[in-house]
mmCIF file with all atom_site columns, all heavy atoms in Angstrom:
data_model
loop_
_atom_site.group_PDB
_atom_site.id
_atom_site.type_symbol
_atom_site.label_atom_id
_atom_site.label_alt_id
_atom_site.label_comp_id
_atom_site.label_asym_id
_atom_site.label_entity_id
_atom_site.label_seq_id
_atom_site.pdbx_PDB_ins_code
_atom_site.Cartn_x
_atom_site.Cartn_y
_atom_site.Cartn_z
_atom_site.occupancy
_atom_site.B_iso_or_equiv
_atom_site.pdbx_formal_charge
_atom_site.auth_seq_id
_atom_site.auth_comp_id
_atom_site.auth_asym_id
_atom_site.auth_atom_id
_atom_site.pdbx_PDB_model_num
ATOM 1   N N   . SER A 1 57  ? -124.761 -12.241 37.962 1.00 96.00 ? 82  SER A N   1
ATOM 2   C CA  . SER A 1 57  ? -124.378 -13.421 37.192 1.00 96.00 ? 82  SER A CA  1
ATOM 3   C C   . SER A 1 57  ? -125.010 -14.634 37.864 1.00 96.00 ? 82  SER A C   1
ATOM 4   O O   . SER A 1 57  ? -124.698 -14.935 39.017 1.00 96.00 ? 82  SER A O   1
ATOM 5   C CB  . SER A 1 57  ? -122.849 -13.583 37.151 1.00 96.00 ? 82  SER A CB  1
ATOM 6   O OG  . SER A 1 57  ? -122.243 -12.537 36.433 1.00 96.00 ? 82  SER A OG  1
ATOM 7   N N   . ILE A 1 59  ? -125.291 -18.553 38.034 1.00 97.00 ? 84  ILE A N   1
ATOM 8   C CA  . ILE A 1 59  ? -124.421 -19.661 37.645 1.00 97.00 ? 84  ILE A CA  1
ATOM 9   C C   . ILE A 1 59  ? -125.080 -20.990 37.993 1.00 97.00 ? 84  ILE A C   1
ATOM 10  O O   . ILE A 1 59  ? -125.541 -21.202 39.122 1.00 97.00 ? 84  ILE A O   1
ATOM 11  C CB  . ILE A 1 59  ? -123.049 -19.552 38.335 1.00 97.00 ? 84  ILE A CB  1
ATOM 12  C CG1 . ILE A 1 59  ? -122.373 -18.244 37.923 1.00 97.00 ? 84  ILE A CG1 1
ATOM 13  C CG2 . ILE A 1 59  ? -122.170 -20.746 37.978 1.00 97.00 ? 84  ILE A CG2 1
ATOM 14  C CD1 . ILE A 1 59  ? -121.065 -17.988 38.620 1.00 97.00 ? 84  ILE A CD1 1
ATOM 15  N N   . GLU A 1 90  ? -126.688 -11.954 33.612 1.00 95.00 ? 115 GLU A N   1
ATOM 16  C CA  . GLU A 1 90  ? -126.266 -12.982 32.682 1.00 95.00 ? 115 GLU A CA  1
ATOM 17  C C   . GLU A 1 90  ? -126.491 -14.341 33.332 1.00 95.00 ? 115 GLU A C   1
ATOM 18  O O   . GLU A 1 90  ? -126.553 -14.462 34.562 1.00 95.00 ? 115 GLU A O   1
ATOM 19  C CB  . GLU A 1 90  ? -124.785 -12.831 32.321 1.00 95.00 ? 115 GLU A CB  1
ATOM 20  C CG  . GLU A 1 90  ? -123.849 -13.019 33.507 1.00 95.00 ? 115 GLU A CG  1
ATOM 21  C CD  . GLU A 1 90  ? -122.376 -13.067 33.111 1.00 95.00 ? 115 GLU A CD  1
ATOM 22  O OE1 . GLU A 1 90  ? -122.083 -13.135 31.906 1.00 95.00 ? 115 GLU A OE1 1
ATOM 23  O OE2 . GLU A 1 90  ? -121.528 -13.043 34.035 1.00 95.00 ? 115 GLU A OE2 1
ATOM 24  N N   . ILE A 1 92  ? -124.897 -18.196 33.280 1.00 97.00 ? 117 ILE A N   1
ATOM 25  C CA  . ILE A 1 92  ? -123.777 -19.043 32.859 1.00 97.00 ? 117 ILE A CA  1
ATOM 26  C C   . ILE A 1 92  ? -124.075 -20.473 33.283 1.00 97.00 ? 117 ILE A C   1
ATOM 27  O O   . ILE A 1 92  ? -124.307 -20.743 34.464 1.00 97.00 ? 117 ILE A O   1
ATOM 28  C CB  . ILE A 1 92  ? -122.459 -18.587 33.509 1.00 97.00 ? 117 ILE A CB  1
ATOM 29  C CG1 . ILE A 1 92  ? -122.173 -17.118 33.188 1.00 97.00 ? 117 ILE A CG1 1
ATOM 30  C CG2 . ILE A 1 92  ? -121.313 -19.475 33.061 1.00 97.00 ? 117 ILE A CG2 1
ATOM 31  C CD1 . ILE A 1 92  ? -121.005 -16.552 33.975 1.00 97.00 ? 117 ILE A CD1 1
ATOM 32  N N   . VAL A 1 94  ? -122.333 -24.101 33.454 1.00 96.00 ? 119 VAL A N   1
ATOM 33  C CA  . VAL A 1 94  ? -121.049 -24.790 33.361 1.00 96.00 ? 119 VAL A CA  1
ATOM 34  C C   . VAL A 1 94  ? -121.327 -26.277 33.173 1.00 96.00 ? 119 VAL A C   1
ATOM 35  O O   . VAL A 1 94  ? -121.854 -26.935 34.064 1.00 96.00 ? 119 VAL A O   1
ATOM 36  C CB  . VAL A 1 94  ? -120.192 -24.565 34.627 1.00 96.00 ? 119 VAL A CB  1
ATOM 37  C CG1 . VAL A 1 94  ? -118.822 -25.204 34.447 1.00 96.00 ? 119 VAL A CG1 1
ATOM 38  C CG2 . VAL A 1 94  ? -120.062 -23.075 34.932 1.00 96.00 ? 119 VAL A CG2 1
ATOM 39  N N   . ARG A 1 117 ? -124.683 -17.718 28.283 1.00 95.00 ? 142 ARG A N   1
ATOM 40  C CA  . ARG A 1 117 ? -123.522 -18.398 27.690 1.00 95.00 ? 142 ARG A CA  1
ATOM 41  C C   . ARG A 1 117 ? -123.217 -19.644 28.513 1.00 95.00 ? 142 ARG A C   1
ATOM 42  O O   . ARG A 1 117 ? -123.692 -19.775 29.661 1.00 95.00 ? 142 ARG A O   1
ATOM 43  C CB  . ARG A 1 117 ? -122.301 -17.481 27.626 1.00 95.00 ? 142 ARG A CB  1
ATOM 44  C CG  . ARG A 1 117 ? -121.842 -16.909 28.939 1.00 95.00 ? 142 ARG A CG  1
ATOM 45  C CD  . ARG A 1 117 ? -120.865 -15.764 28.712 1.00 95.00 ? 142 ARG A CD  1
ATOM 46  N NE  . ARG A 1 117 ? -120.551 -15.031 29.924 1.00 95.00 ? 142 ARG A NE  1
ATOM 47  C CZ  . ARG A 1 117 ? -119.506 -15.269 30.705 1.00 95.00 ? 142 ARG A CZ  1
ATOM 48  N NH1 . ARG A 1 117 ? -118.647 -16.253 30.390 1.00 95.00 ? 142 ARG A NH1 1
ATOM 49  N NH2 . ARG A 1 117 ? -119.278 -14.547 31.783 1.00 95.00 ? 142 ARG A NH2 1
ATOM 50  N N   . ILE A 1 119 ? -120.123 -22.789 29.512 1.00 95.00 ? 144 ILE A N   1
ATOM 51  C CA  . ILE A 1 119 ? -118.710 -23.158 29.577 1.00 95.00 ? 144 ILE A CA  1
ATOM 52  C C   . ILE A 1 119 ? -118.620 -24.680 29.532 1.00 95.00 ? 144 ILE A C   1
ATOM 53  O O   . ILE A 1 119 ? -119.334 -25.365 30.273 1.00 95.00 ? 144 ILE A O   1
ATOM 54  C CB  . ILE A 1 119 ? -118.059 -22.638 30.873 1.00 95.00 ? 144 ILE A CB  1
ATOM 55  C CG1 . ILE A 1 119 ? -118.135 -21.106 30.929 1.00 95.00 ? 144 ILE A CG1 1
ATOM 56  C CG2 . ILE A 1 119 ? -116.621 -23.118 30.997 1.00 95.00 ? 144 ILE A CG2 1
ATOM 57  C CD1 . ILE A 1 119 ? -117.700 -20.539 32.270 1.00 95.00 ? 144 ILE A CD1 1
ATOM 58  N N   . ILE A 1 128 ? -109.928 -32.473 43.161 1.00 71.00 ? 153 ILE A N   1
ATOM 59  C CA  . ILE A 1 128 ? -111.004 -31.548 43.541 1.00 71.00 ? 153 ILE A CA  1
ATOM 60  C C   . ILE A 1 128 ? -112.334 -32.218 43.169 1.00 71.00 ? 153 ILE A C   1
ATOM 61  O O   . ILE A 1 128 ? -112.868 -32.004 42.081 1.00 71.00 ? 153 ILE A O   1
ATOM 62  C CB  . ILE A 1 128 ? -110.878 -30.179 42.839 1.00 71.00 ? 153 ILE A CB  1
ATOM 63  C CG1 . ILE A 1 128 ? -109.493 -29.591 43.062 1.00 71.00 ? 153 ILE A CG1 1
ATOM 64  C CG2 . ILE A 1 128 ? -111.941 -29.215 43.370 1.00 71.00 ? 153 ILE A CG2 1
ATOM 65  C CD1 . ILE A 1 128 ? -109.281 -28.257 42.383 1.00 71.00 ? 153 ILE A CD1 1
ATOM 66  N N   . LYS A 1 132 ? -117.047 -28.250 42.892 1.00 88.00 ? 157 LYS A N   1
ATOM 67  C CA  . LYS A 1 132 ? -116.343 -27.037 43.301 1.00 88.00 ? 157 LYS A CA  1
ATOM 68  C C   . LYS A 1 132 ? -115.482 -26.460 42.179 1.00 88.00 ? 157 LYS A C   1
ATOM 69  O O   . LYS A 1 132 ? -115.390 -25.245 42.021 1.00 88.00 ? 157 LYS A O   1
ATOM 70  C CB  . LYS A 1 132 ? -115.502 -27.313 44.552 1.00 88.00 ? 157 LYS A CB  1
ATOM 71  C CG  . LYS A 1 132 ? -116.359 -27.554 45.772 1.00 88.00 ? 157 LYS A CG  1
ATOM 72  C CD  . LYS A 1 132 ? -115.557 -27.918 46.989 1.00 88.00 ? 157 LYS A CD  1
ATOM 73  C CE  . LYS A 1 132 ? -116.490 -28.175 48.158 1.00 88.00 ? 157 LYS A CE  1
ATOM 74  N NZ  . LYS A 1 132 ? -115.782 -28.646 49.355 1.00 88.00 ? 157 LYS A NZ  1
ATOM 75  N N   . PHE A 1 133 ? -114.859 -27.326 41.398 1.00 90.00 ? 158 PHE A N   1
ATOM 76  C CA  . PHE A 1 133 ? -114.046 -26.819 40.294 1.00 90.00 ? 158 PHE A CA  1
ATOM 77  C C   . PHE A 1 133 ? -114.910 -26.164 39.220 1.00 90.00 ? 158 PHE A C   1
ATOM 78  O O   . PHE A 1 133 ? -114.640 -25.013 38.823 1.00 90.00 ? 158 PHE A O   1
ATOM 79  C CB  . PHE A 1 133 ? -113.187 -27.924 39.698 1.00 90.00 ? 158 PHE A CB  1
ATOM 80  C CG  . PHE A 1 133 ? -112.376 -27.485 38.518 1.00 90.00 ? 158 PHE A CG  1
ATOM 81  C CD1 . PHE A 1 133 ? -111.291 -26.639 38.670 1.00 90.00 ? 158 PHE A CD1 1
ATOM 82  C CD2 . PHE A 1 133 ? -112.725 -27.891 37.228 1.00 90.00 ? 158 PHE A CD2 1
ATOM 83  C CE1 . PHE A 1 133 ? -110.553 -26.215 37.578 1.00 90.00 ? 158 PHE A CE1 1
ATOM 84  C CE2 . PHE A 1 133 ? -112.003 -27.479 36.126 1.00 90.00 ? 158 PHE A CE2 1
ATOM 85  C CZ  . PHE A 1 133 ? -110.913 -26.633 36.297 1.00 90.00 ? 158 PHE A CZ  1
ATOM 86  N N   . PRO A 1 134 ? -115.959 -26.821 38.694 1.00 92.00 ? 159 PRO A N   1
ATOM 87  C CA  . PRO A 1 134 ? -116.798 -26.145 37.690 1.00 92.00 ? 159 PRO A CA  1
ATOM 88  C C   . PRO A 1 134 ? -117.452 -24.877 38.225 1.00 92.00 ? 159 PRO A C   1
ATOM 89  O O   . PRO A 1 134 ? -117.577 -23.886 37.496 1.00 92.00 ? 159 PRO A O   1
ATOM 90  C CB  . PRO A 1 134 ? -117.841 -27.196 37.311 1.00 92.00 ? 159 PRO A CB  1
ATOM 91  C CG  . PRO A 1 134 ? -117.775 -28.234 38.372 1.00 92.00 ? 159 PRO A CG  1
ATOM 92  C CD  . PRO A 1 134 ? -116.390 -28.226 38.886 1.00 92.00 ? 159 PRO A CD  1
ATOM 93  N N   . LEU A 1 135 ? -117.856 -24.890 39.501 1.00 94.00 ? 160 LEU A N   1
ATOM 94  C CA  . LEU A 1 135 ? -118.454 -23.686 40.070 1.00 94.00 ? 160 LEU A CA  1
ATOM 95  C C   . LEU A 1 135 ? -117.428 -22.559 40.144 1.00 94.00 ? 160 LEU A C   1
ATOM 96  O O   . LEU A 1 135 ? -117.742 -21.398 39.836 1.00 94.00 ? 160 LEU A O   1
ATOM 97  C CB  . LEU A 1 135 ? -119.012 -23.999 41.464 1.00 94.00 ? 160 LEU A CB  1
ATOM 98  C CG  . LEU A 1 135 ? -119.712 -22.852 42.193 1.00 94.00 ? 160 LEU A CG  1
ATOM 99  C CD1 . LEU A 1 135 ? -120.797 -22.234 41.327 1.00 94.00 ? 160 LEU A CD1 1
ATOM 100 C CD2 . LEU A 1 135 ? -120.296 -23.355 43.510 1.00 94.00 ? 160 LEU A CD2 1
ATOM 101 N N   . SER A 1 136 ? -116.212 -22.887 40.518 1.00 93.00 ? 161 SER A N   1
ATOM 102 C CA  . SER A 1 136 ? -115.148 -21.875 40.548 1.00 93.00 ? 161 SER A CA  1
ATOM 103 C C   . SER A 1 136 ? -114.903 -21.298 39.163 1.00 93.00 ? 161 SER A C   1
ATOM 104 O O   . SER A 1 136 ? -114.695 -20.082 39.009 1.00 93.00 ? 161 SER A O   1
ATOM 105 C CB  . SER A 1 136 ? -113.851 -22.483 41.093 1.00 93.00 ? 161 SER A CB  1
ATOM 106 O OG  . SER A 1 136 ? -114.009 -22.928 42.423 1.00 93.00 ? 161 SER A OG  1
ATOM 107 N N   . MET A 1 137 ? -114.935 -22.150 38.149 1.00 93.00 ? 162 MET A N   1
ATOM 108 C CA  . MET A 1 137 ? -114.747 -21.679 36.774 1.00 93.00 ? 162 MET A CA  1
ATOM 109 C C   . MET A 1 137 ? -115.865 -20.715 36.373 1.00 93.00 ? 162 MET A C   1
ATOM 110 O O   . MET A 1 137 ? -115.618 -19.692 35.717 1.00 93.00 ? 162 MET A O   1
ATOM 111 C CB  . MET A 1 137 ? -114.705 -22.869 35.824 1.00 93.00 ? 162 MET A CB  1
ATOM 112 C CG  . MET A 1 137 ? -113.498 -23.782 36.007 1.00 93.00 ? 162 MET A CG  1
ATOM 113 S SD  . MET A 1 137 ? -111.942 -22.968 35.567 1.00 93.00 ? 162 MET A SD  1
ATOM 114 C CE  . MET A 1 137 ? -112.143 -22.828 33.794 1.00 93.00 ? 162 MET A CE  1
ATOM 115 N N   . GLY A 1 138 ? -117.075 -21.036 36.775 1.00 95.00 ? 163 GLY A N   1
ATOM 116 C CA  . GLY A 1 138 ? -118.197 -20.161 36.464 1.00 95.00 ? 163 GLY A CA  1
ATOM 117 C C   . GLY A 1 138 ? -118.076 -18.812 37.144 1.00 95.00 ? 163 GLY A C   1
ATOM 118 O O   . GLY A 1 138 ? -118.320 -17.764 36.535 1.00 95.00 ? 163 GLY A O   1
ATOM 119 N N   . ILE A 1 139 ? -117.689 -18.823 38.421 1.00 96.00 ? 164 ILE A N   1
ATOM 120 C CA  . ILE A 1 139 ? -117.555 -17.574 39.171 1.00 96.00 ? 164 ILE A CA  1
ATOM 121 C C   . ILE A 1 139 ? -116.433 -16.714 38.606 1.00 96.00 ? 164 ILE A C   1
ATOM 122 O O   . ILE A 1 139 ? -116.566 -15.490 38.466 1.00 96.00 ? 164 ILE A O   1
ATOM 123 C CB  . ILE A 1 139 ? -117.322 -17.871 40.658 1.00 96.00 ? 164 ILE A CB  1
ATOM 124 C CG1 . ILE A 1 139 ? -118.579 -18.515 41.266 1.00 96.00 ? 164 ILE A CG1 1
ATOM 125 C CG2 . ILE A 1 139 ? -116.960 -16.603 41.427 1.00 96.00 ? 164 ILE A CG2 1
ATOM 126 C CD1 . ILE A 1 139 ? -118.407 -19.012 42.685 1.00 96.00 ? 164 ILE A CD1 1
ATOM 127 N N   . ARG A 1 140 ? -115.324 -17.334 38.255 1.00 94.00 ? 165 ARG A N   1
ATOM 128 C CA  . ARG A 1 140 ? -114.192 -16.575 37.727 1.00 94.00 ? 165 ARG A CA  1
ATOM 129 C C   . ARG A 1 140 ? -114.479 -15.965 36.360 1.00 94.00 ? 165 ARG A C   1
ATOM 130 O O   . ARG A 1 140 ? -113.905 -14.940 35.990 1.00 94.00 ? 165 ARG A O   1
ATOM 131 C CB  . ARG A 1 140 ? -112.964 -17.477 37.646 1.00 94.00 ? 165 ARG A CB  1
ATOM 132 C CG  . ARG A 1 140 ? -112.380 -17.797 39.015 1.00 94.00 ? 165 ARG A CG  1
ATOM 133 C CD  . ARG A 1 140 ? -111.350 -18.890 38.957 1.00 94.00 ? 165 ARG A CD  1
ATOM 134 N NE  . ARG A 1 140 ? -110.854 -19.220 40.297 1.00 94.00 ? 165 ARG A NE  1
ATOM 135 C CZ  . ARG A 1 140 ? -110.131 -20.288 40.581 1.00 94.00 ? 165 ARG A CZ  1
ATOM 136 N NH1 . ARG A 1 140 ? -109.822 -21.144 39.614 1.00 94.00 ? 165 ARG A NH1 1
ATOM 137 N NH2 . ARG A 1 140 ? -109.735 -20.523 41.816 1.00 94.00 ? 165 ARG A NH2 1
ATOM 138 N N   . SER A 1 141 ? -115.372 -16.596 35.609 1.00 94.00 ? 166 SER A N   1
ATOM 139 C CA  . SER A 1 141 ? -115.698 -16.059 34.284 1.00 94.00 ? 166 SER A CA  1
ATOM 140 C C   . SER A 1 141 ? -116.876 -15.085 34.320 1.00 94.00 ? 166 SER A C   1
ATOM 141 O O   . SER A 1 141 ? -117.233 -14.501 33.297 1.00 94.00 ? 166 SER A O   1
ATOM 142 C CB  . SER A 1 141 ? -116.019 -17.201 33.321 1.00 94.00 ? 166 SER A CB  1
ATOM 143 O OG  . SER A 1 141 ? -117.234 -17.835 33.691 1.00 94.00 ? 166 SER A OG  1
ATOM 144 N N   . ALA A 1 142 ? -117.479 -14.905 35.491 1.00 96.00 ? 167 ALA A N   1
ATOM 145 C CA  . ALA A 1 142 ? -118.653 -14.035 35.605 1.00 96.00 ? 167 ALA A CA  1
ATOM 146 C C   . ALA A 1 142 ? -118.286 -12.577 35.341 1.00 96.00 ? 167 ALA A C   1
ATOM 147 O O   . ALA A 1 142 ? -117.221 -12.103 35.733 1.00 96.00 ? 167 ALA A O   1
ATOM 148 C CB  . ALA A 1 142 ? -119.265 -14.180 37.001 1.00 96.00 ? 167 ALA A CB  1
ATOM 149 N N   . LYS A 1 143 ? -119.178 -11.878 34.684 1.00 94.00 ? 168 LYS A N   1
ATOM 150 C CA  . LYS A 1 143 ? -118.952 -10.473 34.369 1.00 94.00 ? 168 LYS A CA  1
ATOM 151 C C   . LYS A 1 143 ? -119.268 -9.561  35.552 1.00 94.00 ? 168 LYS A C   1
ATOM 152 O O   . LYS A 1 143 ? -118.706 -8.476  35.683 1.00 94.00 ? 168 LYS A O   1
ATOM 153 C CB  . LYS A 1 143 ? -119.828 -10.043 33.195 1.00 94.00 ? 168 LYS A CB  1
ATOM 154 C CG  . LYS A 1 143 ? -119.514 -10.726 31.874 1.00 94.00 ? 168 LYS A CG  1
ATOM 155 C CD  . LYS A 1 143 ? -120.491 -10.244 30.804 1.00 94.00 ? 168 LYS A CD  1
ATOM 156 C CE  . LYS A 1 143 ? -120.231 -10.915 29.469 1.00 94.00 ? 168 LYS A CE  1
ATOM 157 N NZ  . LYS A 1 143 ? -121.213 -10.484 28.437 1.00 94.00 ? 168 LYS A NZ  1
ATOM 158 N N   . PHE A 1 144 ? -120.197 -10.006 36.412 1.00 95.00 ? 169 PHE A N   1
ATOM 159 C CA  . PHE A 1 144 ? -120.730 -9.119  37.434 1.00 95.00 ? 169 PHE A CA  1
ATOM 160 C C   . PHE A 1 144 ? -120.313 -9.536  38.842 1.00 95.00 ? 169 PHE A C   1
ATOM 161 O O   . PHE A 1 144 ? -119.947 -10.687 39.087 1.00 95.00 ? 169 PHE A O   1
ATOM 162 C CB  . PHE A 1 144 ? -122.259 -9.058  37.324 1.00 95.00 ? 169 PHE A CB  1
ATOM 163 C CG  . PHE A 1 144 ? -122.746 -8.669  35.947 1.00 95.00 ? 169 PHE A CG  1
ATOM 164 C CD1 . PHE A 1 144 ? -123.707 -9.421  35.301 1.00 95.00 ? 169 PHE A CD1 1
ATOM 165 C CD2 . PHE A 1 144 ? -122.228 -7.560  35.304 1.00 95.00 ? 169 PHE A CD2 1
ATOM 166 C CE1 . PHE A 1 144 ? -124.156 -9.073  34.040 1.00 95.00 ? 169 PHE A CE1 1
ATOM 167 C CE2 . PHE A 1 144 ? -122.664 -7.193  34.041 1.00 95.00 ? 169 PHE A CE2 1
ATOM 168 C CZ  . PHE A 1 144 ? -123.631 -7.954  33.400 1.00 95.00 ? 169 PHE A CZ  1
ATOM 169 N N   . ILE A 1 147 ? -123.178 -12.765 42.541 1.00 97.00 ? 172 ILE A N   1
ATOM 170 C CA  . ILE A 1 147 ? -123.314 -14.124 42.037 1.00 97.00 ? 172 ILE A CA  1
ATOM 171 C C   . ILE A 1 147 ? -124.545 -14.769 42.657 1.00 97.00 ? 172 ILE A C   1
ATOM 172 O O   . ILE A 1 147 ? -124.720 -14.752 43.879 1.00 97.00 ? 172 ILE A O   1
ATOM 173 C CB  . ILE A 1 147 ? -122.061 -14.968 42.396 1.00 97.00 ? 172 ILE A CB  1
ATOM 174 C CG1 . ILE A 1 147 ? -120.783 -14.288 41.899 1.00 97.00 ? 172 ILE A CG1 1
ATOM 175 C CG2 . ILE A 1 147 ? -122.198 -16.375 41.836 1.00 97.00 ? 172 ILE A CG2 1
ATOM 176 C CD1 . ILE A 1 147 ? -120.682 -14.139 40.409 1.00 97.00 ? 172 ILE A CD1 1
ATOM 177 N N   . ARG A 1 225 ? -118.771 -11.775 44.496 1.00 95.00 ? 250 ARG A N   1
ATOM 178 C CA  . ARG A 1 225 ? -117.580 -12.403 43.921 1.00 95.00 ? 250 ARG A CA  1
ATOM 179 C C   . ARG A 1 225 ? -116.336 -11.988 44.691 1.00 95.00 ? 250 ARG A C   1
ATOM 180 O O   . ARG A 1 225 ? -115.397 -12.776 44.852 1.00 95.00 ? 250 ARG A O   1
ATOM 181 C CB  . ARG A 1 225 ? -117.443 -12.029 42.444 1.00 95.00 ? 250 ARG A CB  1
ATOM 182 C CG  . ARG A 1 225 ? -116.313 -12.767 41.734 1.00 95.00 ? 250 ARG A CG  1
ATOM 183 C CD  . ARG A 1 225 ? -116.325 -12.512 40.253 1.00 95.00 ? 250 ARG A CD  1
ATOM 184 N NE  . ARG A 1 225 ? -116.211 -11.093 39.940 1.00 95.00 ? 250 ARG A NE  1
ATOM 185 C CZ  . ARG A 1 225 ? -116.164 -10.591 38.701 1.00 95.00 ? 250 ARG A CZ  1
ATOM 186 N NH1 . ARG A 1 225 ? -116.250 -11.429 37.668 1.00 95.00 ? 250 ARG A NH1 1
ATOM 187 N NH2 . ARG A 1 225 ? -116.051 -9.300  38.494 1.00 95.00 ? 250 ARG A NH2 1
ATOM 188 N N   . PHE A 1 228 ? -115.914 -14.242 47.582 1.00 95.00 ? 253 PHE A N   1
ATOM 189 C CA  . PHE A 1 228 ? -115.385 -15.521 47.120 1.00 95.00 ? 253 PHE A CA  1
ATOM 190 C C   . PHE A 1 228 ? -113.871 -15.444 46.949 1.00 95.00 ? 253 PHE A C   1
ATOM 191 O O   . PHE A 1 228 ? -113.136 -16.352 47.355 1.00 95.00 ? 253 PHE A O   1
ATOM 192 C CB  . PHE A 1 228 ? -116.047 -15.906 45.795 1.00 95.00 ? 253 PHE A CB  1
ATOM 193 C CG  . PHE A 1 228 ? -115.657 -17.258 45.265 1.00 95.00 ? 253 PHE A CG  1
ATOM 194 C CD1 . PHE A 1 228 ? -116.208 -18.414 45.785 1.00 95.00 ? 253 PHE A CD1 1
ATOM 195 C CD2 . PHE A 1 228 ? -114.728 -17.366 44.233 1.00 95.00 ? 253 PHE A CD2 1
ATOM 196 C CE1 . PHE A 1 228 ? -115.843 -19.669 45.293 1.00 95.00 ? 253 PHE A CE1 1
ATOM 197 C CE2 . PHE A 1 228 ? -114.363 -18.604 43.738 1.00 95.00 ? 253 PHE A CE2 1
ATOM 198 C CZ  . PHE A 1 228 ? -114.927 -19.758 44.270 1.00 95.00 ? 253 PHE A CZ  1
ATOM 199 N N   . SER A 1 229 ? -113.398 -14.350 46.373 1.00 95.00 ? 254 SER A N   1
ATOM 200 C CA  . SER A 1 229 ? -111.953 -14.168 46.186 1.00 95.00 ? 254 SER A CA  1
ATOM 201 C C   . SER A 1 229 ? -111.241 -13.992 47.523 1.00 95.00 ? 254 SER A C   1
ATOM 202 O O   . SER A 1 229 ? -110.160 -14.537 47.747 1.00 95.00 ? 254 SER A O   1
ATOM 203 C CB  . SER A 1 229 ? -111.677 -12.957 45.288 1.00 95.00 ? 254 SER A CB  1
ATOM 204 O OG  . SER A 1 229 ? -112.254 -13.127 44.014 1.00 95.00 ? 254 SER A OG  1
ATOM 205 N N   . LYS A 1 232 ? -110.546 -17.050 49.176 1.00 92.00 ? 257 LYS A N   1
ATOM 206 C CA  . LYS A 1 232 ? -109.745 -17.927 48.319 1.00 92.00 ? 257 LYS A CA  1
ATOM 207 C C   . LYS A 1 232 ? -110.569 -19.125 47.832 1.00 92.00 ? 257 LYS A C   1
ATOM 208 O O   . LYS A 1 232 ? -110.096 -20.257 47.787 1.00 92.00 ? 257 LYS A O   1
ATOM 209 C CB  . LYS A 1 232 ? -108.495 -18.412 49.068 1.00 92.00 ? 257 LYS A CB  1
ATOM 210 C CG  . LYS A 1 232 ? -107.556 -17.270 49.462 1.00 92.00 ? 257 LYS A CG  1
ATOM 211 C CD  . LYS A 1 232 ? -106.313 -17.773 50.168 1.00 92.00 ? 257 LYS A CD  1
ATOM 212 C CE  . LYS A 1 232 ? -105.398 -16.597 50.532 1.00 92.00 ? 257 LYS A CE  1
ATOM 213 N NZ  . LYS A 1 232 ? -104.174 -17.054 51.249 1.00 92.00 ? 257 LYS A NZ  1
ATOM 214 N N   . GLY A 1 233 ? -111.788 -18.799 47.446 1.00 89.00 ? 258 GLY A N   1
ATOM 215 C CA  . GLY A 1 233 ? -112.682 -19.810 46.888 1.00 89.00 ? 258 GLY A CA  1
ATOM 216 C C   . GLY A 1 233 ? -112.942 -20.944 47.850 1.00 89.00 ? 258 GLY A C   1
ATOM 217 O O   . GLY A 1 233 ? -113.233 -20.740 49.033 1.00 89.00 ? 258 GLY A O   1
ATOM 218 N N   . PHE A 1 234 ? -112.805 -22.161 47.327 1.00 90.00 ? 259 PHE A N   1
ATOM 219 C CA  . PHE A 1 234 ? -113.065 -23.354 48.130 1.00 90.00 ? 259 PHE A CA  1
ATOM 220 C C   . PHE A 1 234 ? -111.772 -24.008 48.614 1.00 90.00 ? 259 PHE A C   1
ATOM 221 O O   . PHE A 1 234 ? -111.761 -25.192 48.968 1.00 90.00 ? 259 PHE A O   1
ATOM 222 C CB  . PHE A 1 234 ? -113.865 -24.366 47.295 1.00 90.00 ? 259 PHE A CB  1
ATOM 223 C CG  . PHE A 1 234 ? -115.155 -23.820 46.740 1.00 90.00 ? 259 PHE A CG  1
ATOM 224 C CD1 . PHE A 1 234 ? -115.373 -23.780 45.364 1.00 90.00 ? 259 PHE A CD1 1
ATOM 225 C CD2 . PHE A 1 234 ? -116.140 -23.338 47.580 1.00 90.00 ? 259 PHE A CD2 1
ATOM 226 C CE1 . PHE A 1 234 ? -116.559 -23.293 44.843 1.00 90.00 ? 259 PHE A CE1 1
ATOM 227 C CE2 . PHE A 1 234 ? -117.330 -22.840 47.077 1.00 90.00 ? 259 PHE A CE2 1
ATOM 228 C CZ  . PHE A 1 234 ? -117.539 -22.813 45.711 1.00 90.00 ? 259 PHE A CZ  1
ATOM 229 N N   . THR A 1 235 ? -110.689 -23.223 48.635 1.00 85.00 ? 260 THR A N   1
ATOM 230 C CA  . THR A 1 235 ? -109.379 -23.792 48.958 1.00 85.00 ? 260 THR A CA  1
ATOM 231 C C   . THR A 1 235 ? -109.364 -24.532 50.288 1.00 85.00 ? 260 THR A C   1
ATOM 232 O O   . THR A 1 235 ? -108.761 -25.606 50.414 1.00 85.00 ? 260 THR A O   1
ATOM 233 C CB  . THR A 1 235 ? -108.305 -22.675 48.993 1.00 85.00 ? 260 THR A CB  1
ATOM 234 O OG1 . THR A 1 235 ? -108.277 -22.019 47.722 1.00 85.00 ? 260 THR A OG1 1
ATOM 235 C CG2 . THR A 1 235 ? -106.935 -23.253 49.287 1.00 85.00 ? 260 THR A CG2 1
#
Side-chain angles (χ1 to χ4, degrees):
S82 294
I84 299 176
E115 64 172 350
I117 303 171
V119 185
R142 58 194 171 94
I144 299 171
I153 307 179
K157 291 176 181 175
F158 177 71
L160 182 53
S161 298
M162 294 293 291
I164 293 173
R165 288 169 183 167
S166 68
K168 295 178 181 178
F169 305 130
I172 305 297
R250 186 172 58 178
F253 184 78
S254 299
K257 297 181 179 179
F259 304 120
T260 302

